[in-house]
Amino acid sequence: MKVLVPVKRVVDYNVKVRVKSDGTGVDIANVKMSMNPFDEIAVEEAVRLKEKGVATEVIAVSCGVLQCQETLRTAMAIGADRAILVETAEELQPLAVAKLLKALVDKEQPGLVILGKQAIDDDCNQTGQMLAALLGWPQATFASKVDVADGKTTILREIDGGMETLSLSLPAIITTDLRLNEPRYVTLPNIMKAKKKQLENLKPEDLGVDVKPRIKTLKVSEPAKRSAGVKVADVAALVDKLRNEAKVI
């Protein structure tokens, strides 16, 4: 069974994000970029499935600029067997990514697609669900435990009321949560081995997908700074401020 793992190149989670002065987006010039943490968990889970003998091949996929090759090399250093880059300079929105992934699924015929539940840059949490809808496959989101056996996968996921267990027939879509696993440390020998692994480069046109943005971002701005709190002399002063300034009572 093949496992397809989409990975996204994002601003590193340790970097303080800054908005461009003209408000058109986030400044990524000379900023450290890395693999989306949820996608790293997805790669780790796919590699573990291969180590258990459940999966035969792990394919990492990324969509975006040429520099996404670095992210794919990281995925291969973790343990992915090969990688595919769909190179484009267009701003990719979740639906466009889902369409590209559907085309790749049709081409590669994996038994399982594992991806992060969301990217830490746009926080959309949409791609996995859209891909499942386009393919007509069953899906399990926010997985915190994955078991695959006898052509089925059992997923444990967190919900507001506690834990939920789902059983899906393969092929299926899984999106990963933080508690699923802890990604392994990438060693130097594996980084060197990853440089020799196959990395295929495609264009959206090769897959017959239109990735033109359907949504336009009008303005990006930082959240308003919170003002400092004040001390009040007594309960009467507190009630007065709540009623006349905060207007919450």
Side-chain angles (χ1 to χ4, degrees):
M1 179 181 74
K2 290 182 184 177
V3 180
L4 194 74
V5 187
V7 296
K8 186 176 184 181
R9 179 177 180 262
V10 298
V11 175
D12 190 87
Y13 66 92
N14 287 313
V15 174
K16 178 175 172 56
V17 176
R18 300 186 184 278
V19 175
K20 291 180 181 177
S21 57
D22 58 2
T24 57
V26 172
D27 187 6
I28 59 171
N30 301 315
V31 171
K32 182 184 178 184
M33 308 291 282
S34 61
M35 186 189 301
N36 179 47
F38 292 106
D39 296 341
E40 197 172 358
I41 292 169
V43 175
E44 174 66 28
E45 191 63 25
V47 172
R48 290 187 186 188
L49 288 175
K50 186 185 174 187
E51 290 171 347
K52 290 176 184 175
V54 175
T56 55
E57 185 179 29
V58 177
I59 308 164
V61 177
S62 192
C63 307
V65 295
L66 187 63
Q67 288 86 343
C68 290
Q69 287 185 355
E70 301 167 13
T71 309
L72 290 170
R73 294 291 180 196
T74 301
M76 289 190 285
I78 293 172
D81 298 290
R82 58 188 174 94
I84 302 171
L85 171 63
V86 183
E87 186 185 346
T88 176
E90 282 276 11
E91 176 197 349
L92 291 176
Q93 294 170 352
L95 181 57
V97 175
K99 287 179 178 178
L100 290 171
L101 293 177
K102 179 186 181 298
L104 289 172
V105 167
D106 292 340
K107 178 173 179 278
E108 295 290 341
Q109 296 293 308
L112 195 61
V113 179
I114 307 178
L115 62 163
K117 68 173 184 178
Q118 66 194 78
I120 62 171
D121 53 359
D122 56 21
D123 275 334
C124 282
N125 179 22
Q126 296 173 343
T127 305
Q129 292 90 325
M130 287 178 170
L131 177 59
L134 291 172
L135 288 168
W137 286 10
Q139 61 174 309
T141 56
F142 316 135
S144 55
K145 186 179 179 183
V146 176
D147 289 312
V148 181
D150 303 323
K152 290 188 176 182
T153 177
T154 304
I155 310 297
L156 187 68
R157 62 191 299 269
E158 294 182 25
I159 57 174
D160 291 341
M163 305 297 290
E164 180 181 51
T165 303
L166 300 177
S167 179
L168 311 179
S169 56
L170 298 178
I173 309 289
I174 297 173
T175 71
T176 61
D177 210 343
L178 278 175
R179 292 175 184 81
L180 179 57
N181 61 52
E182 185 175 340
R184 68 194 68 190
Y185 178 76
V186 180
T187 61
L188 183 59
N190 286 335
I191 292 172
M192 300 307 292
K193 288 177 186 175
K195 292 182 179 180
K196 297 179 181 178
K197 292 183 179 180
Q198 179 188 347
L199 199 162
E200 186 180 357
N201 201 315
L202 300 173
K203 301 283 186 183
E205 306 84 67
D206 300 331
L207 300 171
V209 177
D210 176 18
V211 295
K212 185 179 179 182
R214 265 61 174 181
I215 300 171
K216 182 180 180 182
T217 302
L218 300 179
K219 185 180 180 182
V220 178
S221 59
E222 292 187 9
K225 292 183 179 179
R226 297 177 63 180
S227 56
V230 295
K231 289 184 178 181
V232 293
D234 50 34
V235 174
L238 173 62
V239 171
D240 178 67
K241 284 187 175 294
L242 290 174
R243 178 177 291 125
N244 301 314
E245 291 185 22
K247 299 187 185 299
V248 293
I249 59 173

